[in-house]
Amino acid sequence: MAMTRIRVGLLDSTNFMVGSLPVPKWADQENGVRATDRETGVPLLTVTLFLMEDERAEAMKITVPANGLPNGLHPGRFVRPVELFATPWARIFNGNLSDGVAYRCASLELVETPTVPETPAEVAA
């Protein structure tokens, strides 16, 4: 069964700030098996980013291949996900349904200056 992948469209005013350093993604943590990209074999990592858009912010965990992480990545740094996709998922474990959305991008680009949206005072002037 094919998984549905949905390309995530971002507004020009959307900003992403790194919340945590990348951590390994595990296929089987108990046995020490790291998750890798199925096509390239590159190890996968998870990065927590803060998405800021239209006066709201939320934390997102995004999977990124190891070769898609730029030098200079650290908490508080602004980035832009390249080729961001969302994959809805659901599973039944011990009779309980769990569901959510997994996010993955091809790489992260460093952004020197975040986009600053216009304030209501600037729009009225």
Side-chain angles (χ1 to χ4, degrees), residues 89-104:
W89 61 269
R91 69 176 180 179
I92 296 176
F93 184 74
N94 289 336
N96 295 316
L97 175 65
S98 296
D99 61 356
V101 177
Y103 294 95
R104 179 161 173 180

Side-chain angles (χ1 to χ4, degrees), residues 39-114:
E39 294 176 13
T40 65
V42 173
L44 299 173
L45 295 109
T46 302
V47 180
T48 299
L49 300 180
F50 294 106
L51 174 142
M52 294 169 280
E53 181 178 89
D54 294 335
E55 299 181 13
R56 68 180 181 91
E58 64 181 78
M60 297 175 66
K61 289 187 178 187
I62 298 180
T63 299
V64 185
N67 60 1
L69 296 171
N71 291 328
L73 191 68
H74 59 78
R77 186 75 194 254
F78 284 89
V79 296
R80 186 125 182 118
V82 175
E83 296 181 33
L84 181 61
F85 284 88
T87 303
W89 61 269
R91 69 176 180 179
I92 296 176
F93 184 74
N94 289 336
N96 295 316
L97 175 65
S98 296
D99 61 356
V101 177
Y103 294 95
R104 179 161 173 180
C105 68
S107 63
L108 295 175
E109 291 179 343
L110 298 179
V111 175
E112 292 305 318
T113 307

